[in-house]
Amino acid sequence: MQLSLFDEHHKYPCGNYHICIEELFSAYIDCRNSKRNSFSALNFEIEYEENLLQLKEELENGTYSPKPSIAFIVNKPVKREIFAADFKDRVVHHWLINKLNPYLENHFIADSYSCRIGKGTHFGIKRIDEFIKDCSKNYSEDAYVLKLDVQGFFMHINRDILYKMLQNFILIQYKGYDKGLVLEVTKKIIFNNAILNCSIKGNKNDWSDLPRNKSLFHSPPECGLPIGNLTSQIFANFYLHTLDIFITQQIRNSYYGRYVDDFIIIHREKEFLKALIPQISNFLSIKLKLNLHPNKIYLQHYSKGVKFLGHIIKPNRIYISNRIKGNFFQAIHKQNRIIHNNRPTKEILIAFLNSMNSYLGLMKHTKSYKLRKRFLLSKLSGSWLNYFYLSKGLSKFVMLVRPFRKSDMLPR
């Protein structure tokens, strides 16, 4: 595709009240790479240059406002409610986070793992494993693990508190020429009520067995961020940064890590950790209007193992959780049904590759070779091996080098 967006007559000066069109274009490319097949994405892309210029004008003159979202339920990896923002709003989300992220990265502690480059699930698991090993002096002494969870976290984030915290952060830390515009857009996103005028995808009965504290439709007044937005993920991480500081600087416990609202503290004394629970509970309640989940308080000796991010961490070994095992088994059955009923097209093969390798990517860092061998060699249809081979260690599917014939693109 020929891109003419950066012709000289399209450029704008980066003054106090102007946005560089290159910044919006970069945000658009980020969204395009991940959401290209949605209806709003395709609709935006038809006249993307004009749409970006119109969006630029709306942001600069203050007329930008978020469009209604699409609400739906997903069941994997766990059941949850998603609000899909309009593609134009996603572009704004990426633009804003691209602006704030360099400052936020300098602000966050090293051991918050969610939605951060170079962090993530594997990094978090590795860090907790290292903390346990270090605290127990290579498993030679006692150490205990406290794992806590915030109840209905996203749905109970207080938007007033969040905005005041972000406003203060931006005013002090943000050094961009467009500080006023960044503040204005941040405020519009935080206080946008996603449930107003949203459309429901699927059936309303999809919500029937979703706990009320996991739905934005049942959030307390002025509370809740929609799961599914990039801004929600980053802002949620920012919201709990105060908890990170409380534990690492006020309590001064360095064996601490957090992924979204799941956090772990390791200490040599069990009673010390037990006494921390009401302190943390009070801090969350007073400062952030949040509550610990009463049924998700785990305090055990490290030798018992701890579940974290879909894995079970034990001395000298890390296992995959039963939930991920079950999801992997179901994914294999789904792929078997697909190849039984269809001659695989290029799109089907790519979808298989993405699905299987996402699970294998999780498993290759754990003691799961026997599990992978059993699932892949005895449960997966051998027909897939006409198109793929498994790399050494059964850790990745690789597509065989062969041209796609026209007959491959036709149904049987």
Side-chain angles (χ1 to χ4, degrees), residues 326-355:
N327 290 343
F328 185 45
F329 185 74
Q330 291 178 28
I332 287 174
H333 274 274
K334 177 183 176 181
Q335 298 299 334
N336 288 345
R337 290 195 301 270
I338 289 172
I339 201 165
H340 178 75
N341 297 320
N342 302 275
R343 183 186 299 274
T345 64
K346 183 177 182 179
E347 288 73 20
I348 287 175
L349 293 177
I350 292 173
F352 171 88
L353 200 65
N354 292 338
S355 175

Side-chain angles (χ1 to χ4, degrees), residues 208-379:
S208 59
D209 58 345
L210 184 74
R212 291 173 67 90
N213 66 8
K214 292 185 178 295
S215 174
L216 208 58
F217 293 102
H218 301 292
S219 291
E222 304 306 321
C223 289
L225 295 181
I227 296 176
N229 291 348
L230 174 63
T231 46
S232 296
Q233 296 169 334
I234 303 301
F235 291 168
N237 204 19
F238 178 84
Y239 198 68
L240 280 185
H241 174 71
T242 54
L243 173 67
D244 301 339
I245 297 302
F246 174 70
I247 293 174
T248 58
Q249 294 186 13
Q250 289 187 242
I251 295 176
R252 297 192 176 186
N253 191 299
S254 58
Y255 298 126
Y256 166 81
R258 176 179 62 81
Y259 188 95
V260 192
D261 63 321
D262 291 334
F263 53 102
I264 284 180
I265 308 169
I266 301 112
H267 197 272
R268 292 186 178 90
E269 297 178 11
K270 186 175 183 179
E271 291 303 313
F272 174 85
L273 292 175
K274 190 174 181 180
L276 275 187
I277 298 173
Q279 294 181 51
I280 293 172
S281 179
N282 289 338
F283 177 86
L284 288 172
S285 177
I286 294 169
K287 295 291 185 180
L288 301 174
K289 308 298 183 186
L290 297 173
N291 296 309
L292 287 177
H293 199 301
N295 300 324
K296 293 185 178 180
I297 298 175
Y298 176 90
L299 177 56
Q300 289 287 353
H301 194 273
Y302 71 86
S303 61
K304 302 290 184 181
V306 58
K307 290 183 180 179
F308 189 55
L309 306 180
H311 295 70
I312 301 169
I313 303 171
K314 287 192 172 185
N316 293 313
R317 58 199 189 278
I318 300 173
Y319 296 106
I320 207 79
S321 72
N322 288 333
R323 175 173 60 80
I324 293 180
K325 290 179 190 176
N327 290 343
F328 185 45
F329 185 74
Q330 291 178 28
I332 287 174
H333 274 274
K334 177 183 176 181
Q335 298 299 334
N336 288 345
R337 290 195 301 270
I338 289 172
I339 201 165
H340 178 75
N341 297 320
N342 302 275
R343 183 186 299 274
T345 64
K346 183 177 182 179
E347 288 73 20
I348 287 175
L349 293 177
I350 292 173
F352 171 88
L353 200 65
N354 292 338
S355 175
M356 290 295 101
N357 282 347
S358 66
Y359 284 103
L360 294 179
L362 284 172
M363 294 181 179
K364 70 181 180 180
H365 300 282
T366 67
K367 295 181 73 66
S368 62
Y369 177 79
K370 290 182 179 179
L371 174 72
R372 284 177 276 146
K373 182 178 180 180
R374 175 163 58 89
F375 275 30
L376 295 174
L377 301 186
S378 65
K379 304 298 181 183

Side-chain angles (χ1 to χ4, degrees), residues 52-152:
L52 283 177
L53 289 169
Q54 180 183 349
L55 177 57
K56 177 184 186 302
E57 183 179 348
E58 290 176 7
L59 287 168
E60 290 178 341
N61 63 26
T63 60
Y64 164 76
S65 62
K67 289 187 174 181
S69 299
I70 298 173
F72 56 94
I73 295 292
V74 297
N75 293 297
K76 297 292 176 66
V78 295
K79 187 161 189 171
R80 55 184 179 156
E81 173 188 83
I82 301 292
F83 279 81
D86 186 82
F87 186 79
K88 182 180 79 169
D89 297 323
R90 289 180 179 271
V91 173
V92 175
H93 297 167
H94 278 268
W95 170 81
L96 180 62
I97 297 306
N98 288 344
K99 288 280 188 180
L100 293 177
N101 244 352
Y103 303 96
L104 290 171
E105 280 300 313
N106 290 331
H107 185 64
F108 292 150
I109 67 167
D111 286 288
S112 64
Y113 312 123
S114 176
C115 298
R116 299 179 66 190
I117 296 173
K119 306 286 184 178
T121 301
H122 298 312
F123 180 85
I125 293 166
K126 182 180 178 181
R127 288 286 285 176
I128 296 301
D129 184 45
E130 291 171 350
F131 287 161
I132 293 171
K133 187 175 182 179
D134 189 53
C135 187
S136 64
K137 296 186 177 179
N138 200 20
Y139 312 121
S140 65
E141 296 183 3
D142 286 334
Y144 296 86
V145 179
L146 173 64
K147 180 172 178 285
L148 300 170
D149 180 286
V150 177
Q151 189 170 32

